Amino acid sequence: MTENTQQQTAPTTELPTQYAPAEVEGPLYERWVERGYFEADAKSEKPPYTIVIPPPNVTGSLHLGHAFEHTLIDALTRRKRMQGYETLWQPGMDHAGIATQNVVERELAKEGKSRHDLGREAFVERVWQWKAESGGQISGQMRRLGDGVDWSRERFTMDEGLSQAVQTIFKRLYDDELIYRAERIINWCPRCLTAISDIEVEYQDDDGELVSIRYGDGDASIVVATTRAETMLGDTAVAVHPDDDRYKHLVGTEIELPLTGRRIPVVADEHVDPEFGTGAVKVTPAHDPNDFEIGQRHGLPNLAVMDERAVITAHGPFQGLDRLEARSAIVAALRAEGRIVAEKRPYVHSVGHCSRCKTTIEPRLSMQWWVKVGPLAKAAGDAVRDGKVKIHPQEMEKRYFDWVDNLHDWCISRQLWWGHRIPVWYGPNGEIVCVGPDEEPPTGEGWHQDTDVLDTWFSSGLWPFSTLGWPEQTESLAKFYPNSVLVTGYDILFFWVARMMMFGLYAMDGTPPFHTIALHGMVRDQFGKKMSKSFGNAVNPLDWMNEYGSDAVRFTLANGANPGVDVPIGEDWVKASRNFANKIWNATRFALMNGATVEGPLPDASEMSATDRWILSRLNKTVAEVDAFYDDYQFAKLADALYHFAWDEVFDWYVELSKTTFFAGGEQAKVSGRVLGEVLDVMLRLLHPIVPFVTETLWTTLTGKESVVIADWPTDSGFRDEAAEKEIELVQQVVTEVRRFRSDQGLQPGQKVPARLDLTGTALASHEAAIRQLLRLQPEGEGFSATASLPVAGATVALDLSGTIDVEAERKRLAKDLAAAEKEKAQANGKLGNEAFLAKAPDNVVEKIRTRLARADEDIARIQAQLERLPQA
């Protein structure tokens, strides 16, 4: 449905005196959904425009990052819908394996139970029950924000269709030998008892200790330093650089590993930095990823000394101790043997923590399932290099290539119960069978399914096509794949975006999942600091929406959205956006009450005033400008352009300049009323994608039509009138200059002043009434005395200030200010003329003094001009 086929009622000028977002937003959104405005039709002949929502966790609630990202996506899709595209904004949620399992396990703990008390099937059923009762609250919050998603297509990464997609692609990758099982080092959470991905590891600076330990004795000894003394029980070598002369005599020999009675080799490996520390490192292949690689190169054994709960399993006095307890005990034992060469505590270093439970993660050797990413990552890199996919802003391409070109194989198995269970069965005689969605799993004695589930990123990597029905060849898949653009934060470029690229190209015969990747930054506080509950600066966007309205929050977020750059936001800025929404409301209400109309065609340009032609020329330039910014994902620039056009040009200038015309009535008032109606119509449509609620109310009131959601997007008519623009620029110069003079003289904005306007020979003559009204200038009466004369824009404005200001008091005030400015100038000149000072003073100090001098010169010129303009005694 387009604007031209909308239901129409008679326009009304009736609007409440104040805009009340809380009363408007909820009912409006439900009306949009009920009327199906956001639903996408796969059978439509319109060109498709598709964006998927980065699926929020089912456990999540709307935070400012969501609100920011959703505002940008909603703006894009609303505009494209208005432009005549069959627009699909695909919603859904992620099952969030670890996060959701943790939530339900905490609920069970309150009942004194664990998941093991229930068993796997009953626990999974309990999670589904939790989802039905408590999960997905973010969906309601998205409605509060105004998200124009197609709710009829909402998907969940664990629903039946997406589960089929997951099993299908696992089977295909397995059959193509791109999925395999192997023992490798992974990030392990001893609390969640599962492997976790890199993105689920949060690094923070912790206070620890750095201890230097002497291995061996005499000439056959080496000192190594470690922050994890407990792992020494699993050392199987000491490594040095091949070119390090200090240790060449030891390479190939064995030295004693303290406390264990074992002897371990000294190996030469180029991974070791000879300049760091002692130039020697302990090698614990089962508990460190770099050590594991060294161990692989040198055929070292992998000796695990901790279980899945990070409890020491090595034989001896430390067995059964927690890793942190063992650390202290081992350092004490080494100290007693005289093996501690140095100790540094506190030693601040970066430590990885589980993002879910905050437990310190443990690198652990474990049998896991992996994706062989080499060929997949190459295809993902080539798609960008070949121009099939564009990354915006382009400078982010380097980060993308740095990642996909150096991608390690991906650990996809998780030791959880909630998630997509790995479709592999093991037989009694070592058989391994991968089962596809249409295949029956093997049965019989001794057969059992793998107990692990898949990494959440595995299923979300299929999101652009699994949500459209893949692996079935559906109408929706044919219509809406590939996506037009992916809008997401640069922080998950490596994790989610790269995985979607790899899977999309693999599953869809080389067709990438989207044409463009538009990356945005992170939301920060007004000081540029990361928002965090621990910092005390985290903000619930719902609080701001309740206080100032959703439009105010949306406009503030869009106004800060420069591509790929972090977005600062503060409550004062949201207040300013609320004021903007109120300005749109009040100004539109005034315009409707004073003749603004959309009825009938636009008058011919010959019937319009210069003011009318000026605003229409500026309107079309704004349309073109906004379109260009949208196409370049420059949300901050388009929001700024709309703000200044609406507030400055339409409300502060056009409406004010036209008031005399409206008040006078007649044919010219009808012409200007139709022009103003046109400007409001187009302006509200331009603003709608960012501030949908206030614009819907105003536009439907103005036009009498059904909804701006399905109105036509404005197009640049090509109308330009440079002469009218220059003419109004002259008017603006006169008004601005006289206003500045009035302010300098201490006159109140509403204070009326007698004035004579000499506009002869300029294009200003027809604007005298408007100029007088804007400047509160009375006609010159009997006894008029021109006490101040202002030449501006080729005209002269003579003012009679007698009786309006105390000239003598004002002269004394300005003289005092002039003396202060001249003193400041003399001091600055004195320092800048002192060669000794200049030789010693830092550059920034000298630059500040130069700035002071320039400011003093400006002040002197300004004050002298004010003195000259004062009436003579």
Side-chain angles (χ1 to χ4, degrees):
M1 181 182 288
T2 68
E3 179 201 355
N4 295 326
T5 59
Q6 290 193 39
Q7 299 174 8
Q8 187 157 355
T9 60
T12 175
T13 59
E14 295 181 6
L15 282 171
T17 55
Q18 290 185 321
Y19 177 48
E23 298 174 11
V24 170
E25 293 174 351
L28 267 188
Y29 187 84
E30 291 310 313
R31 191 184 313 155
W32 293 335
V33 173
E34 288 168 7
R35 291 177 176 176
Y37 294 158
F38 305 140
E39 293 180 11
D41 182 4
K43 299 180 184 296
S44 168
E45 295 183 1
K46 297 178 183 178
Y49 186 80
T50 317
I51 295 181
V52 294
I53 192 173
N57 288 351
V58 67
T59 59
S61 60
L62 191 76
H63 56 64
L64 267 178
H66 290 130
F68 172 54
E69 187 167 79
H70 291 197
T71 294
L72 305 187
I73 298 175
D74 198 37
L76 290 173
T77 53
R78 284 178 183 269
R79 171 177 176 255
K80 284 296 182 180
R81 188 178 293 111
M82 295 170 75
Q83 286 182 318
Y85 286 79
E86 194 60 39
T87 302
L88 169 61
W89 182 9
Q90 173 67 53
M93 286 183 293
D94 192 287
H95 65 278
I98 294 178
T100 307
Q101 181 157 317
N102 278 348
V103 167
V104 179
E105 284 193 277
R106 283 195 294 270
E107 285 193 354
L108 286 174
K110 295 175 185 177
E111 303 169 13
K113 298 178 182 178
S114 73
R115 60 183 164 117
H116 300 285
D117 294 323
L118 272 66
R120 185 168 191 142
E121 286 189 20
F123 176 77
V124 170
E125 183 59 36
R126 178 69 177 260
V127 180
W128 279 108
Q129 180 184 337
W130 174 88
K131 177 188 179 291
E133 295 173 355
S134 306
Q137 62 173 311
I138 195 171
S139 296
Q141 295 164 346
M142 288 165 58
R143 293 169 183 263
R144 270 292 276 117
L145 187 66
D147 286 5
V149 300
D150 185 347
W151 291 111
S152 70
R153 294 173 174 266
E154 187 174 11
R155 303 302 299 269
F156 180 56
T157 51
M158 286 282 287
D159 68 27
E160 184 177 351
L162 269 65
S163 295
Q164 182 185 16
V166 168
Q167 193 172 354
T168 298
I169 201 162
F170 188 100
K171 171 69 172 174
R172 292 187 186 179
L173 289 165
Y174 182 87
D175 289 346
D176 287 344
E177 299 183 347
L178 292 172
I179 283 183
Y180 64 94
R181 193 168 183 245
E183 192 175 46
R184 299 274 183 82
I185 292 283
I186 44 85
N187 299 311
W188 181 265
C189 176
R191 155 61 184 80
C192 298
L193 299 180
T194 181
I196 61 176
S197 67
D198 290 339
I199 198 172
E200 292 164 323
V201 179
E202 292 179 349
Y203 287 90
Q204 66 184 48
D205 288 341
D206 286 358
D207 286 345
E209 61 180 354
L210 181 68
V211 293
S212 298
I213 310 168
R214 179 168 49 83
Y215 287 13
D217 296 294
D219 292 338
S221 68
I222 293 182
V223 175
V224 297
T226 181
T227 58
R228 302 166 66 218
E230 68 278 8
T231 63
M232 67 158 292
L233 300 176
D235 286 359
T236 56
V238 171
V240 298
H241 194 275
D243 299 330
D244 194 332
D245 292 334
R246 294 172 295 176
Y247 303 118
K248 280 190 174 181
H249 66 290
L250 291 176
V251 174
T253 68
E254 292 184 341
I255 58 175
E256 183 177 343
L257 178 65
L259 305 181
T260 66
R262 290 191 291 114
R263 295 186 67 79
I264 57 176
V266 178
V267 299
D269 194 281
E270 292 188 350
H271 169 77
V272 180
D273 181 0
E275 302 298 324
F276 183 76
T278 63
V281 297
K282 58 192 287 300
V283 182
T284 320
H287 294 280
D288 184 275
N290 293 322
D291 292 4
F292 178 80
E293 297 296 331
I294 293 175
Q296 292 291 102
R297 288 193 288 270
H298 296 277
L300 300 175
N302 301 317
L303 183 58
V305 295
M306 277 181 256
D307 67 11
E308 70 274 9
R309 298 182 186 275
V311 172
I312 300 298
T313 58
H315 295 296
F318 312 108
Q319 188 172 6
L321 294 179
D322 172 79
R323 55 182 165 169
L324 299 181
E325 297 172 334
R327 182 176 301 170
S328 299
I330 288 170
V331 170
L334 290 167
R335 191 184 298 114
E337 289 191 4
R339 293 284 177 180
I340 300 296
V341 176
E343 296 180 70
K344 184 177 181 180
R345 64 171 66 85
Y347 177 73
V348 179
H349 62 132
S350 181
V351 178
H353 295 260
C354 174
S355 62
R356 304 301 176 191
C357 68
K358 311 308 177 187
T359 303
T360 301
I361 63 106
E362 190 66 43
R364 185 169 187 259
L365 187 64
S366 180
M367 182 67 75
Q368 302 285 345
W369 285 94
W370 304 81
V371 171
K372 184 178 181 181
V373 299
L376 302 175
K378 183 181 185 303
D382 289 346
V384 175
R385 289 188 174 93
D386 297 344
K388 291 181 181 178
V389 178
K390 297 186 183 302
I391 294 179
H392 191 279
Q394 191 174 1
E395 54 264 28
M396 286 287 181
E397 282 187 4
K398 182 180 184 303
R399 296 178 65 176
Y400 177 78
F401 292 136
D402 286 346
W403 179 258
V404 297
D405 293 347
N406 299 285
L407 204 56
H408 296 295
D409 285 0
W410 170 21
C411 176
I412 55 172
S413 47
R414 299 291 181 267
Q415 290 64 55
L416 303 170
W417 287 357
W418 173 244
H420 296 100
R421 196 164 173 182
I422 288 177
V424 171
W425 272 255
Y426 303 101
N429 300 311
E431 303 96 331
I432 300 178
V433 176
C434 180
V435 177
D438 300 323
E439 301 171 349
E440 290 294 325
T443 58
E445 187 176 350
W447 282 94
H448 63 281
Q449 186 178 358
D450 196 299
T451 57
D452 289 352
V453 301
L454 287 163
D455 177 14
T456 296
W457 295 102
F458 191 93
S459 51
S460 59
L462 314 180
W463 194 247
F465 51 94
S466 64
T467 51
L468 298 172
W470 186 92
E472 300 299 324
Q473 297 304 305
T474 64
E475 284 185 321
S476 291
L477 188 66
K479 177 73 173 180
F480 296 113
Y481 187 92
N483 290 188
S484 305
V485 60
L486 175 75
V487 179
T488 191
Y490 63 69
D491 58 326
I492 56 173
L493 173 64
F494 314 130
F495 304 102
W496 186 47
V497 179
R499 281 152 174 70
M500 285 191 290
M501 286 285 284
M502 290 191 295
F503 281 167
L505 289 160
Y506 174 79
M508 299 300 292
D509 300 320
T511 302
F514 16 74
H515 298 300
T516 301
I517 302 168
L519 297 170
H520 59 73
M522 304 297 102
V523 178
R524 297 182 178 271
D525 71 12
Q526 65 265 43
F527 306 109
K529 190 175 182 180
K530 180 181 178 181
M531 284 192 173
S532 165
K533 290 181 180 178
S534 59
F535 293 156
N537 63 350
V539 173
N540 183 347
L542 293 170
D543 293 340
W544 281 352
M545 284 190 270
N546 291 335
E547 180 71 21
Y548 306 110
S550 297
D551 284 335
V553 174
R554 290 171 61 115
F555 192 82
T556 304
L557 291 165
N559 204 29
N562 290 298
V565 179
D566 288 346
V567 183
I569 185 171
E571 187 167 6
D572 285 346
W573 303 343
V574 183
K575 290 179 183 177
S577 295
R578 184 270 315 272
N579 295 344
F580 179 49
N582 287 342
K583 180 74 171 180
I584 298 170
W585 181 274
N586 293 333
T588 304
R589 183 172 178 271
F590 171 86
L592 288 169
M593 294 171 64
N594 287 276
T597 180
V598 295
E599 295 180 2
L602 269 177
D604 188 79
S606 62
E607 301 176 47
M608 298 180 192
S609 67
T611 307
D612 294 333
R613 297 194 304 277
W614 163 73
I615 197 63
L616 287 176
S617 184
R618 290 296 308 130
L619 175 68
N620 280 285
K621 285 184 178 179
T622 301
V623 170
E625 191 176 31
V626 168
D627 273 333
F629 286 144
Y630 261 117
D631 292 340
D632 199 33
Y633 305 100
Q634 297 280 358
F635 296 98
K637 290 182 179 179
L638 71 90
D640 186 67
L642 287 169
Y643 176 91
H644 288 293
F645 176 72
W647 193 306
D648 298 345
E649 297 187 294
V650 178
F651 303 143
D652 280 0
W653 283 109
Y654 180 73
V655 170
E656 294 299 322
L657 286 170
S658 301
K659 277 183 178 178
T660 52
T661 300
F662 291 136
F663 295 162
E667 287 303 313
Q668 192 57 52
K670 291 180 181 178
V671 170
S672 293
R674 180 63 187 90
V675 169
L676 180 54
E678 180 76 9
V679 171
L680 290 176
D681 172 16
V682 173
M683 183 194 76
L684 291 169
R685 283 186 279 152
L686 288 175
L687 281 165
H688 173 72
I690 300 177
V691 285
F693 296 107
V694 67
T695 51
E696 171 80 339
T697 306
L698 295 174
W699 189 84
T700 53
T701 301
L702 170 70
T703 65
K705 294 179 181 176
E706 182 182 339
S707 176
V708 70
V709 176
I710 51 173
D712 289 337
W713 181 252
T715 56
D716 176 6
S717 71
F719 180 85
R720 300 289 191 275
D721 194 323
E722 300 299 333
E725 289 198 41
K726 290 179 181 177
E727 185 171 324
I728 300 304
E729 282 177 16
L730 294 177
V731 175
Q732 292 172 327
Q733 286 179 32
V734 171
V735 173
T736 301
E737 185 62 27
V738 176
R739 278 177 174 167
R740 183 182 297 117
F741 175 76
R742 288 175 56 108
S743 176
D744 289 343
Q745 304 308 315
L747 296 175
Q748 295 300 313
Q751 189 172 352
K752 295 182 178 180
V753 178
R756 177 190 300 135
L757 274 62
D758 182 3
L759 309 177
T760 307
T762 73
L764 298 167
S766 62
H767 301 283
E768 180 170 348
I771 292 172
R772 284 187 176 277
Q773 179 171 315
L774 286 170
L775 292 172
R776 305 294 189 269
L777 301 180
Q778 293 178 316
E780 53 186 294
E782 188 176 345
F784 175 83
S785 175
T787 58
S789 182
L790 302 176
V792 57
T796 302
V797 179
L799 304 172
D800 183 355
L801 300 180
S802 59
T804 59
I805 61 172
D806 185 336
V807 175
E808 190 57 34
E810 184 67 11
R811 192 179 298 281
K812 287 180 179 179
R813 183 185 70 80
L814 290 173
K816 184 178 178 181
D817 290 346
L818 181 60
E822 289 175 337
K823 181 179 179 181
E824 175 76 1
K825 177 178 180 179
Q827 290 176 342
N829 273 327
K831 289 186 177 181
L832 294 174
N834 186 333
E835 293 184 5
F837 170 79
L838 293 176
K840 295 179 181 179
D843 290 345
N844 64 319
V845 173
V846 175
E847 187 58 35
K848 284 182 180 178
I849 294 172
R850 290 198 177 105
T851 302
R852 283 170 50 194
L853 177 61
R855 189 178 297 120
D857 281 333
E858 291 174 1
D859 288 344
I860 290 169
R862 175 180 54 80
I863 296 167
Q864 286 176 338
Q866 289 177 241
L867 283 166
E868 289 173 3
R869 290 169 176 168
L870 280 175
Q872 299 300 312

